[in-house]
């Protein structure tokens, strides 16, 4: 899941932080301000992408493509490439949009997904994890 992070500020918008290989550099500018250096500790919103699959084997196959192409080399997954893999593998309607979930606040997403979305460091794609929808997902 590509991820940007922002904290609400009274009186306007500041500068945002982007958090993953599947996010667009320009999308984070002017979107808010995070208080900690990692950009996530006190954020109230993140912008994320994900790949949602019912079968463990399918999400493992998608994640392997991410690893083989970028992650195993320590590289970030380019947003366009994450979008292609999400469109190919994701069973969520967001797959048609490259897995893009847009901006969402703390408390909007359920359980494990929210935890991963708000705790994955800036620039990192998460490993697959089990969501509350009995499906496996990976996010960045």
């Amino acid at each position: 899941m590509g991820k940007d992070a922002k904290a609400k500020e009274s009186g306007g918008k500041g500068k945002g932080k982007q958090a993953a290989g599947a996010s667009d550099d320009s999308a984070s500018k002017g979107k808010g301000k995070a208080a900690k250096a990692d950009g996530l500790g006190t954020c109230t919103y993140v912008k994320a992408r994900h790949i949602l699959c019912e079968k463990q084997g399918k999400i493992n196959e998608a994640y392997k493509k991410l690893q083989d192409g970028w992650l195993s080399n320590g590289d970030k997954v380019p947003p366009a490439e994450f979008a292609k893999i999400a469109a190919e593998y994701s069973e969520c309607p967001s797959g048609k949009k490259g897995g893009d979930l847009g901006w969402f606040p703390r408390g909007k997403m359920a359980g494990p997904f929210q935890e991963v979305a708000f705790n994955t460091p800036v620039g990192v794609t998460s490993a697959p994890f089990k969501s509350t929808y009995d499906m496996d997902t990976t996010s960045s």
Side-chain angles (χ1 to χ4, degrees), residues 4-9 12-18 27-35 43-45 103:
D4 294 312
K6 67 180 178 179
K8 286 203 173 191
E9 294 183 341
K13 294 181 178 180
K15 193 175 182 185
K17 297 222 177 212
Q18 120 169 346
S28 66
K29 293 181 178 153
K31 293 288 186 184
K33 186 174 181 182
C43 290
T44 56
Y45 282 78
W103 289 96

Side-chain angles (χ1 to χ4, degrees), residues 11-121:
K13 294 181 178 180
K15 193 175 182 185
K17 297 222 177 212
Q18 120 169 346
S23 61
D24 181 4
D25 287 342
S26 64
S28 66
K29 293 181 178 153
K31 293 288 186 184
K33 186 174 181 182
K36 286 192 173 183
D38 67 1
L40 299 174
T42 60
C43 290
T44 56
Y45 282 78
V46 291
K47 183 177 181 186
R49 294 180 187 262
H50 76 144
I51 300 170
L52 185 69
C53 300
E54 185 172 359
K55 303 288 184 190
Q56 179 75 38
K58 189 172 182 181
I59 193 63
N60 288 345
E61 187 177 324
Y63 191 68
K64 183 167 178 13
K65 280 191 172 187
L66 295 171
Q67 285 182 308
D68 292 348
W70 303 275
L71 301 177
S72 63
N73 299 328
D75 295 331
K76 294 179 183 177
V77 180
E81 297 303 323
F82 189 95
K84 286 179 193 174
I85 293 171
E88 181 180 348
Y89 287 94
S90 188
E91 296 168 19
C92 180
S94 69
K96 294 177 184 171
K97 299 183 297 180
D100 190 0
L101 298 172
W103 289 96
F104 56 88
R106 284 189 189 272
K108 175 149 183 167
M109 299 296 181
F113 187 82
Q114 177 174 278
E115 289 300 312
V116 171
F118 281 90
N119 291 310
T120 300

